[in-house]
Amino acid sequence: MNILSREYTSRVGIKGLSSEQAEELTKEFGENTLAKKGKANPVGVFLGQFKDVMVIILLAATAVSVFLGEIYDAATIITIVLINAIIGFSQEYKTGKTLEALENMSAPTAKVYRDGETVKLPAAQLVPGDVIIIEAGDRIPADASIINSKALQIEESILTGESNANYKESSGFVDTDNSIGKENILYMGTTAVKGVGEAQVVATGLSTQMGKISGMLKDIDESETPLQKRLTELGKVIAIICLAVCIIVTAAGIIRGEPVLDMLMTGITIAIAAIPEGLPATVTIALALAVRRMLRKNALVHKLHSVETLGCAEVICTDKTGTVTENKMTVTEIYTGGEIYNVSGTGYKHTGEITKNGLRLNPKNEKPLYETLICGALCENSKISYDRKKEDFDTFGDPTETAILVAAAKGGVYADVLEKLTRRVDEEPFDSLTRCMSVLYRRGGIDNCYFTGYIKGAADVILDRCSCKLTEHGVEPLSAIEKRKITLAADGMAASALRVLALAKKDTDSLNDMNGCTFLGLVGMIDPPRAEAKKAVKLCRSAAVKTVMITGDHKDTAAAVARSAGIMRGGDLILTGAELAVMTDEELQALAPKTSVFARVSPSDKLRIVRAYKANGKTVAMTGDGVNDAPAVKEADIGVAMGITGTDVTKQAADLVLLDDNFATLVSAVAEGRGIYGNIRKFVRYLLSCNIGEVLTMFLGIIMGMPMVLLPTQILLVNLATDGLPAVALGVEPNDPDDMKKPPRKASDSFFSGGLMGKIIFRGILIGLLTLGSFSVTLNISGDITTARTAALLTLVLSQLMHVFECKHEKKNIFTVNYLNNPRLILAVLSSLIIIALAIFFPPAQLIFGTAALGIKELLIALGFAVIAPILQCIFK
């Protein structure tokens, strides 16, 4: 929007707009706010729990049960459905409220000229044409063109991904082009770390760079997770099975001459029995428990089904700054006196020391090193403070300066101590033209005072100002050969992706006379990889998960960090945004599998990269913290935001928030995702085997002309008592240690891959046949239908409770599985045994469930048939 054609800023002697002009512009451009996501509607979130196919089937079964007069069945099913909905609603609504902070992205207030006066207004009231005042510590409230500034530095990693603060200055005119990366433009959401300035607002709300990125999120459709797709397919299969059972039973009865209506009702009853009522609730409970476990590990899950998606992640696209790295510039090398010194410790931690050739030293005994540290400590406008209770120094100011201050402190040189002994009398702030900063200090009293000027900046600029150097032997002339040697040292640091600054000093009483300085040294710094990120990348590789680093930083820096973190290895490619710009989507898709690092990329590039991996059939996780990451985070199959440094926009777009900003937490979340999917397969195997056994028992009994083998109340007892509790306990099975040593499953893999369906059907048939066998034998021996049904009920329950232990592991049997690693399962099985014992031997329960107390003979028959199943399972595998 070009507002310069209007005469809003041309009033003589008056800065900014009048209230009337601001009101007119507000009507035209709207408030200075981002696109607000609709707040979580409790009713909508609750009703959303009923969209699942399995839940719809259960609701249909409830209606049919009411129609048939089976009120107890209907009440039980609807109770299960409501429990499932309440658990899902509670988790999603609570998490949604936690992340509902998109409107906080813009600065809450702004200092602005209105009616010729300086006032503080809500940032939402800013309009194009307003003149704002910026000071160190302020968050920029809108995109604005700088009018004037002094030593203004802005930290823009929220947009660019780069951790270095950028110097900002006016271009001499009001620039309405708010493209990212311009020195004369301030961007909404970024932070002033140093200096002061005034700027004219040129874009507000959705027209800002942050607003454009926020708007991109609305163009990305949310898709179902792999688990939701698999459960939908499972629901359809179960619906087909129910329909088929109903038709077959009805047809078989009619063929035998039974009344049509009676057989139709019988068929519907058996079909309802085929529905695993507890499956949706069990899945929801298992996911909710996994969410709780992950929260204890500092991972906040936005939506329940997102947990499992992590388990099939094949590619993790991660931002560099603050995700793989610490987002804390750290000095690692110092070159001075012709020697290279190493600085240990990363970030702002107290721990660390300066060494030479691996040996610890006292910098006070190394004159050039000591003077270099003094220069670094004094030639700055940032601060650090020491607190023994904290691991890190408290820092404020430019990241580059704080890095040097921390390095000086590691060498025993503290700026606050030095400043008590000397006084700053003049300063020339950093300027993009001079590429250096200088300060002047006075020492001593009135009669014996002397002045020293300190200067730091780009190596070539500082060397041009130096005529001598400081050595252990004192000040010596700086020859052309020595300058060449220092230049090579600086180039070597730069080749290792270090940011290099040179430091020098001169005894002078004026900063206008800073030529002929004494060269002190070079400092090389980098935003280091997190130690835990290196371990996490290694774990990802062992789990066949590809880690890809996507950053706005320079190619060489990105490559060095990626190699250090273990992301980039021999043969891997690195692509830049410029190279992506001339590639087609098809070319990018072809190169993506070979590429480990993407450097100098824009937000739209990140979207293309994520889509390229998805086009290759990969399940993609995207981590990020800045606003620039949000669109790609939302586009990914699983979006991961940082909880500490992450912006609210990114958290809103993400499925998972890492509360400790720790890449290693993501790896544990991937392991949890794999574990929960394995557990879901376990209890699906258990529930479907049991239901097939129940349906087959009833179905074959009718086909064979037997009396009804089990009563509806007995089937209901089995579904509630012996299906539900053990299934939930299977959902909290400990993760298999081998999960992270195997390649991830494909998102397209069938839920029953690996022969699971065969195991389910085989065991279901065994359970059904053995239950029928128990019923027939007991009926022949006792001649009492109630006793026979009770024996069949006991055989069915015992078969299922034995089978639950087989379901603990897909490759082990009941004789080799570990029984003791899940105490909850033991407790669930014991509870089920107590319930079935009460149903058989407790007189009031006998009346409800139509059972009879069994004698020793009947008990042995029931137990004998039950133990046959696991033995046959072992034989036939």
Side-chain angles (χ1 to χ4, degrees), residues 104-115:
N104 294 329
M105 269 312 302
S106 56
T109 59
K111 292 184 285 291
V112 59
Y113 288 104
R114 281 284 174 88
D115 299 314

Side-chain angles (χ1 to χ4, degrees), residues 824-837:
R824 292 184 181 87
L825 183 58
I826 301 291
L827 185 62
V829 169
L830 290 175
S831 299
S832 296
L833 287 173
I834 291 171
I835 291 171
I836 196 63

Side-chain angles (χ1 to χ4, degrees), residues 113-418:
Y113 288 104
R114 281 284 174 88
D115 299 314
E117 296 181 357
T118 304
V119 295
K120 185 175 284 189
L121 296 176
Q125 295 182 13
L126 289 182
V127 293
D130 267 325
V131 176
I132 56 176
I133 302 167
I134 301 298
E135 298 174 349
D138 288 349
R139 175 176 283 185
I140 308 302
D143 287 6
S145 177
I146 298 174
I147 298 172
N148 59 71
S149 64
K150 181 176 182 181
L152 184 61
Q153 296 183 38
I154 308 293
E155 202 275 308
E156 297 180 334
S157 65
I158 189 175
L159 277 176
T160 65
E162 296 184 31
S163 56
N164 297 329
N166 296 315
Y167 286 87
K168 297 286 185 172
E169 58 188 0
S170 174
S171 58
F173 64 95
V174 176
D175 188 353
T176 58
D177 178 7
N178 64 331
S179 303
I180 289 179
K182 302 185 74 171
E183 290 186 358
N184 62 330
I185 298 292
L186 305 178
Y187 301 99
M188 174 192 273
T190 59
T191 303
V193 296
K194 185 177 174 182
V196 295
E198 293 180 344
Q200 180 171 310
V201 174
V202 295
T204 58
L206 293 178
S207 297
T208 64
Q209 286 298 326
M210 185 176 294
K212 291 174 183 177
I213 294 172
S214 175
M216 291 170 68
L217 300 180
K218 296 188 296 183
D219 300 329
I220 301 172
D221 296 326
E222 293 187 13
S223 58
E224 286 187 323
T225 68
L227 178 61
Q228 288 173 314
K229 294 176 182 177
R230 299 290 84 79
L231 290 177
T232 299
E233 292 171 5
L234 178 60
K236 292 176 181 177
V237 169
I238 290 174
I240 293 171
I241 292 174
C242 291
L243 185 61
V245 167
C246 182
I247 293 172
I248 293 172
V249 169
T250 303
I254 293 173
I255 292 172
R256 287 175 48 204
E258 301 288 344
V260 175
L261 185 59
D262 288 351
M263 290 315 302
L264 180 60
M265 295 304 169
T266 302
I268 293 174
T269 301
I270 295 177
I272 291 175
I275 300 173
E277 294 94 339
L279 181 57
T282 305
V283 170
T284 301
I285 291 170
L287 290 173
L289 291 174
V291 166
R292 192 169 67 180
R293 290 196 300 272
M294 293 174 70
L295 187 57
R296 288 198 294 264
K297 297 178 182 178
N298 291 314
L300 173 66
V301 177
H302 197 177
K303 290 189 177 181
L304 284 179
H305 286 80
S306 302
V307 178
E308 169 274 337
T309 313
L310 274 167
C312 50
E314 298 169 275
V315 178
I316 297 178
C317 295
T318 175
D319 186 37
K320 176 183 75 70
T321 305
T323 308
V324 174
T325 66
E326 295 194 11
N327 199 16
K328 297 174 181 177
M329 292 297 290
T330 304
V331 173
T332 58
E333 282 188 24
I334 300 174
Y335 175 86
T336 180
E339 302 280 357
I340 294 178
Y341 297 84
N342 299 108
V343 185
S344 63
T346 59
Y348 303 146
K349 289 182 170 53
H350 304 154
T351 56
E353 57 190 15
I354 300 176
T355 61
K356 182 170 68 174
N357 299 323
L359 300 176
R360 186 177 181 180
L361 50 84
N362 183 352
K364 292 183 179 180
N365 297 329
E366 307 274 336
K367 188 175 178 65
L369 173 62
Y370 192 58
E371 288 294 328
T372 300
L373 296 179
I374 290 175
C375 178
L378 291 176
C379 192
E380 46 72 31
N381 283 309
S382 301
K383 302 293 179 185
I384 65 171
S385 61
Y386 178 73
D387 186 342
R388 293 182 181 274
K389 297 179 181 179
K390 298 181 180 179
E391 283 190 13
D392 290 8
F393 286 102
D394 290 323
T395 65
F396 176 79
D398 175 68
T400 299
E401 293 187 345
T402 54
I404 297 175
L405 286 172
V406 170
K410 291 175 182 177
V413 177
Y414 294 91
D416 55 345
V417 175
L418 292 174

Side-chain angles (χ1 to χ4, degrees), residues 42 212 250 282 424 430 448 462 591 639 678 817 831 842 861:
K212 291 174 183 177
T250 303
T282 305
R424 183 181 297 191
F430 182 91
N448 61 344
I462 302 302
L591 289 177
V817 77
S831 299
F842 186 53
I861 291 171

Side-chain angles (χ1 to χ4, degrees), residues 678-679 681-683 685-686 730 733-739 742 754 756 759 763 802-819 821-822 825 873 877:
N679 286 348
R681 277 174 60 98
K682 291 170 187 176
F683 61 67
R685 172 187 176 186
Y686 174 69
L730 276 176
E733 276 284 301
N735 293 340
D736 189 338
D738 293 333
D739 280 346
K742 298 180 291 188
L756 185 64
K759 293 177 183 178
R763 190 48 182 267
M802 291 178 188
H803 183 47
V804 76
F805 290 106
E806 294 176 302
C807 293
K808 284 169 62 70
H809 202 287
E810 292 189 21
K811 297 186 180 300
K812 295 181 180 180
N813 57 50
I814 198 168
F815 300 108
T816 58
V817 77
N818 183 355
Y819 286 88
N821 67 341
N822 186 0
L825 183 58
Q873 188 89 45
K877 297 185 179 180

Side-chain angles (χ1 to χ4, degrees), residues 484-519:
R484 178 61 179 163
K485 186 178 178 181
I486 294 170
T487 301
L488 289 175
D491 291 343
M493 287 183 177
S496 299
L498 299 182
R499 184 182 185 191
V500 184
L501 289 179
L503 300 101
K505 73 172 187 175
K506 181 181 181 181
D507 292 333
T508 179
D509 59 2
S510 173
L511 291 181
N512 294 325
D513 182 28
M514 287 299 289
N515 288 317
C517 293
T518 300
F519 176 80

Side-chain angles (χ1 to χ4, degrees), residues 1-10 25 28-29 174 176 200:
M1 68 193 70
N2 192 335
I3 59 149
L4 298 182
S5 59
R6 302 173 191 169
E7 299 302 321
Y8 292 145
T9 60
S10 62
L25 286 167
E28 180 174 352
F29 297 112
V174 176
T176 58
Q200 180 171 310

